[in-house]
């Protein structure tokens, strides 16, 4: 396989774009090699500048549940584009998409649209703080909620502490209100409530996808609900990744716990930049212009983005067996990978829910960020490079989630497993 054109394009990009990429995860830093520059996508496939073709398990990091260049979404977008790209005034498409989403969740009366997952979470947290008149928030080690300042706090392993910023440029004054707890560890959350009487909300990925794929224990989520109710804090489910992906109703279709606010992104825009957050009217009505909590956006609810989101969600709603089909493929893939690894004496921890899957090069089950960090990232890097050579595009980090699209056939899954047998042999 040649990567000459990608290598050249990457060199040029680095001269004018920091690191040559507009989002750091694209840079292949942890697996080595050059990021592939993409010419186009076709269904399940990604095609790079050198005309190499890959079965794509990244799907733009989640949004493309129907694969690349889905005809229905394409048509809806072209139709919208012809009427103008943006008005800065309301359109009926926003109400239609909002109604569709609210119809799924009995506890969700209203949603507001923004342009990214980062914005959705940032706004939901501001709303939670405004609604509760409290400042502190609890987040979990290894959960990612976008790159806004007060959420850019990750794992300080060990004791539960007030967070330290994990990036220069974020003043400690801004993150001192972010308390860190351990995923799937209710004791660490209780500790936070002991340390602060000022907790506005708990934010969690109910199915974590940003420390690798780590679903929450059902009981853990229920206990979070109980703690929030006891202390007058809001529970926020960040379903930017799991929304419409893990099941039609995201994590809420799988767990019984009902959050106060939910954030969406990725699939909700069908490949266009859309985010959203929603909840009960009692909370949502605190937003400007009806309430005092300010939140705004020039391109929020953009008509072209709404058209893509609607075309994507309407297809998902119509297709009652979609998630069952996708989960069957996801489970077959991870079980196949696990067995293939075992033949070469490599132990994988695997998991799949709906169209999301993950695998850790790890001897022990992964329940939290500390467990995830014990994975063998060198093995992962070798796997990634090997699979790329074989024509299979996996996320370029051990700590990401994989995605199945409806454009993928059973045969592609089997081919992936066949290739993996070969690659695992090489690694071992
Ligand atoms: C991707 C992601 C975000 C951030 O969304 P962007 O659209 O990249 O800003 C937030 N939360 C979770 C759970 C995500 O997976």
């Amino acid at each position: 396989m040649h990567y000459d054109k990608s290598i050249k394009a990457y060199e040029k990009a680095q001269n004018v774009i920091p690191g040559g990429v507009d989002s750091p995860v694209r840079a292949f830093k942890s697996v080595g090699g050059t990021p592939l520059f993409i010419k186009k996508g076709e269904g399940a496939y990604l095609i790079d500048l050198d005309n190499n073709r890959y079965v794509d398990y990244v799907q733009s990091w989640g949004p493309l549940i129907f694969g690349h260049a889905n005809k229905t979404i394409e048509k809806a977008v072209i139709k919208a584009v012809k009427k103008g790209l943006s008005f800065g005034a309301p359109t009926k498409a926003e109400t239609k998409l909002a109604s569709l989403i609210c119809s799924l969740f009995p506890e969700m009366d209203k949603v507001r649209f923004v342009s990214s997952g980062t914005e959705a979470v940032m706004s939901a947290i501001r709303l939670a703080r405004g609604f509760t008149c409290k400042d502190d928030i609890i987040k979990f080690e290894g959960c990612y909620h976008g790159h806004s300042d007060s959420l850019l706090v990750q794992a300080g392993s060990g004791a539960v502490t007030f967070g330290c910023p994990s990036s220069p440029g974020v003043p400690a004054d801004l993150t001192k209100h972010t308390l860190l707890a351990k995923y799937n560890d209710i004791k660490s959350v209780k500790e936070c409530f002991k340390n602060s009487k000022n907790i506005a909300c708990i934010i969690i990925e109910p199915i974590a996808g940003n420390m690798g794929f780590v679903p929450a224990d059902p009981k853990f989520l229920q206990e979070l609900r109980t703690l929030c109710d006891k202390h007058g804090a809001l529970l926020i489910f960040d379903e930017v990744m799991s929304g419409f992906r893990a099941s039609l109703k995201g994590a809420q279709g799988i767990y019984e716990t009902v959050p106060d606010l939910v954030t969406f992104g990725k699939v909700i825009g069908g490949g266009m930049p859309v985010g959203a957050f929603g909840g009960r009217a009692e909370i949502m009505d605190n937003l400007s212009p009806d309430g005092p909590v300010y939140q705004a956006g020039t391109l929020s609810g953009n008509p072209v983005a709404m058209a893509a989101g609607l075309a994507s969600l309407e297809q998902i709603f119509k297709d009652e067996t979609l998630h069952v089909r996708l989960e069957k493929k996801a489970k077959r893939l991870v079980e196949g990978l696990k067995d293939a690894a075992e033949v070469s004496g490599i132990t994988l921890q695997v998991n799949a829910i709906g169209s999301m899957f993950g695998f850790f090069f790890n001897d022990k089950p992964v329940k939290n960020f500390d467990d995830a960090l014990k994975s063998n990232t060198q093995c992962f890097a070798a796997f990634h490079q090997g699979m790329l050579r074989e024509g299979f595009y996996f996320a370029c980090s051990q700590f990401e989630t994989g995605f199945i699209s409806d454009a993928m056939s059973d045969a592609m899954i089997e081919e992936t497993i066949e290739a993996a047998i070969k690659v695992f042999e090489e690694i071992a």
Side-chain angles (χ1 to χ4, degrees):
M1 222 173 241
H2 292 285
Y3 305 119
D4 302 357
K5 286 185 177 159
S6 276
I7 291 169
K8 238 184 232 147
Y10 186 43
E11 278 167 13
K12 271 194 187 161
Q14 282 172 302
N15 292 331
V16 286
I17 298 172
V21 291
D22 282 316
S23 193
V25 293
R26 298 175 194 169
F28 278 37
K29 283 274 188 230
S30 64
V31 289
T34 304
L36 301 175
F37 274 59
I38 304 306
K39 187 155 86 178
K40 62 174 176 175
E42 266 174 19
Y45 293 102
L46 210 51
I47 294 139
D48 71 12
L49 289 186
D50 295 281
N51 282 325
N52 302 310
R53 219 175 149 80
Y54 310 88
V55 175
D56 180 16
Y57 288 106
V58 180
Q59 299 294 324
S60 187
W61 304 91
L64 309 179
I65 196 164
F66 295 105
H68 294 278
N70 172 263
K71 284 287 166 250
T72 309
I73 299 174
E74 185 183 296
K75 246 197 249 158
V77 166
I78 289 170
K79 197 171 153 199
V81 162
K82 288 187 169 165
K83 293 182 191 161
L85 296 182
S86 179
F87 312 118
T91 61
K92 274 161 72 177
E94 291 154 75
T95 312
K96 205 168 163 193
L97 188 53
S99 307
L100 200 61
I101 294 162
C102 289
S103 73
L104 258 192
F105 307 102
E107 290 81 13
M108 190 180 291
D109 301 317
K110 297 185 178 181
V111 292
R112 180 164 279 178
F113 294 109
V114 292
S115 300
S116 70
T118 295
E119 237 188 299
V121 178
M122 181 185 84
S123 308
I125 294 224
R126 183 180 305 147
L127 178 59
R129 284 171 160 160
F131 178 74
T132 58
C133 301
K134 295 176 185 174
D135 291 338
D136 292 345
I137 63 175
I138 297 175
K139 92 170 269 292
F140 295 92
E141 293 171 3
C143 282
Y144 178 68
H145 304 292
H147 65 96
S148 69
D149 283 344
S150 65
L151 290 161
L152 218 50
V153 186
Q154 290 175 351
S157 63
V160 175
T161 50
F162 280 85
C164 297
S166 53
S167 164
V170 179
D173 274 352
L174 291 182
T175 54
K176 72 181 181 192
H177 293 292
T178 308
L179 284 72
L180 276 179
K182 252 195 193 8
Y183 203 75
N184 281 326
D185 178 352
I186 200 67
K187 265 211 314 236
S188 69
V189 184
K190 286 181 178 160
E191 202 62 31
C192 291
F193 278 105
K194 230 184 256 165
N195 289 337
S196 169
K197 298 289 161 241
N198 196 24
I199 291 171
C201 64
I202 297 177
I203 176 138
I204 185 167
E205 288 179 76
I207 297 174
N210 289 290
M211 53 175 134
F213 185 67
V214 184
D217 290 334
K219 194 167 150 236
F220 175 68
L221 291 182
Q222 201 49 47
E223 286 174 320
L224 293 183
R225 179 72 273 172
T226 309
L227 279 176
C228 281
D229 292 344
K230 185 172 155 197
H231 295 280
L234 298 187
L235 180 60
I236 306 178
F237 275 7
D238 182 352
E239 297 229 52
V240 169
M241 188 190 287
S242 53
F244 315 104
R245 264 260 174 220
S247 78
L248 172 61
K249 297 189 194 186
Q252 289 189 74
I254 291 152
Y255 300 93
E256 281 171 15
T257 306
V258 179
D260 299 294
L261 289 171
V262 186
T263 58
F264 299 106
K266 298 191 171 118
V267 167
I268 203 178
M272 293 291 282
V274 181
F277 60 107
R280 297 190 301 279
E282 160 205 19
I283 303 170
M284 294 300 288
D285 286 343
N286 286 275
L287 282 173
S288 199
D290 284 354
V293 178
Y294 195 70
Q295 190 279 327
T298 301
L299 292 174
S300 292
N302 172 271
V304 183
M306 291 293 105
L310 262 173
S312 183
L313 286 204
E314 279 173 351
Q315 286 184 84
I316 297 175
F317 272 62
K318 267 202 304 232
D319 191 342
E320 279 169 16
T321 62
L322 175 66
H323 290 90
V324 177
R325 284 200 315 271
L326 295 174
E327 182 164 292
K328 219 174 124 203
K329 291 194 177 100
K331 290 211 156 129
R332 170 64 193 134
L333 176 67
V334 292
E335 288 306 324
L337 290 180
K338 190 182 155 95
D339 292 346
E342 226 160 67
V343 173
S344 297
I346 297 167
T347 308
L348 287 190
Q349 302 296 327
V350 303
N351 220 326
I353 298 179
S355 59
M356 304 167 75
F357 68 87
F359 52 96
F360 290 101
F361 287 82
N362 201 316
D363 292 333
K364 300 213 183 85
V366 175
K367 292 277 178 194
N368 59 40
F369 193 41
D370 285 344
D371 297 344
L373 288 178
K374 289 180 190 130
S375 306
N376 188 333
T377 50
Q378 272 167 338
C379 268
F380 177 83
F383 173 81
H384 183 270
Q385 283 173 10
M387 291 305 283
L388 211 55
R389 260 195 323 269
E390 298 290 323
F392 300 92
Y393 189 86
F394 282 89
C396 51
S397 159
Q398 168 71 98
F399 307 109
E400 299 287 352
T401 290
F403 301 104
I404 302 288
S405 83
D406 197 38
M408 281 175 195
S409 66
D410 290 329
M412 288 175 196
I413 305 282
E414 297 308 321
E415 283 160 23
T416 310
I417 295 166
E418 286 302 313
I421 293 173
K422 211 164 115 187
V423 170
F424 284 129
E425 258 169 28
E426 287 164 14
I427 297 173

